Coordinates of all heavy atoms in Angstrom, one line a residue:
M7 N -11.2 -1.3 42.3 CA -10.3 -0.4 43.2 C -9.8 0.8 42.4 O -9.9 1.9 42.8 CB -9.2 -1.2 43.8 CG -8.3 -0.4 44.7 SD -6.8 -1.3 45.3 CE -5.9 -1.5 43.8
Q8 N -9.3 0.5 41.2 CA -8.7 1.6 40.4 C -9.7 2.6 39.9 O -9.4 3.7 39.7 CB -7.9 1.0 39.3 CG -6.7 0.2 39.7 CD -5.7 1.0 40.6 OE1 -5.4 2.1 40.3 NE2 -5.4 0.4 41.7
S9 N -10.9 2.1 39.7 CA -11.9 3.1 39.2 C -12.2 4.2 40.2 O -12.4 5.4 39.8 CB -13.3 2.3 39.0 OG -13.1 1.3 38.0
S10 N -12.1 3.9 41.5 CA -12.3 5.0 42.5 C -11.2 6.0 42.4 O -11.4 7.2 42.7 CB -12.3 4.4 43.9 OG -11.1 3.7 44.2
L11 N -10.0 5.6 42.0 CA -8.9 6.5 41.8 C -9.2 7.5 40.7 O -9.0 8.7 40.9 CB -7.6 5.8 41.5 CG -6.9 5.0 42.6 CD1 -5.7 4.3 42.0 CD2 -6.5 5.9 43.7
L12 N -9.7 7.0 39.6 CA -10.0 7.9 38.5 C -11.1 8.9 38.8 O -11.2 10.0 38.2 CB -10.3 7.1 37.3 CG -9.1 6.4 36.6 CD1 -9.6 5.5 35.5 CD2 -8.2 7.5 35.9
P378 N -0.8 -1.7 38.9 CA -1.4 -2.3 40.0 C -0.8 -3.7 40.3 O -0.5 -4.0 41.5 CB -2.9 -2.4 39.7 CG -3.1 -1.2 38.7 CD -1.9 -1.2 37.9
I454 N -0.9 5.4 38.2 CA -1.3 4.0 38.5 C -2.7 3.7 37.9 O -3.0 2.7 37.2 CB -1.3 3.7 40.0 CG1 0.1 3.7 40.5 CG2 -2.0 2.3 40.3 CD1 0.2 3.7 42.0
E458 N -5.4 1.2 34.0 CA -6.7 0.6 33.8 C -6.8 0.3 32.3 O -7.8 -0.4 31.9 CB -7.8 1.5 34.2 CG -8.1 1.4 35.7 CD -9.5 2.0 36.0 OE1 -10.4 1.9 35.3 OE2 -9.6 2.6 37.1
P467 N -10.1 -8.2 38.4 CA -8.8 -7.5 38.1 C -7.6 -8.4 38.4 O -6.6 -8.3 37.8 CB -8.8 -6.2 38.9 CG -10.3 -5.9 39.0 CD -11.0 -7.3 39.2

Side-chain angles (χ1 to χ4, degrees):
M7 178 182 73
Q8 295 303 313
S9 297
S10 62
L11 287 176
L12 282 171
I454 294 169
E458 279 195 36

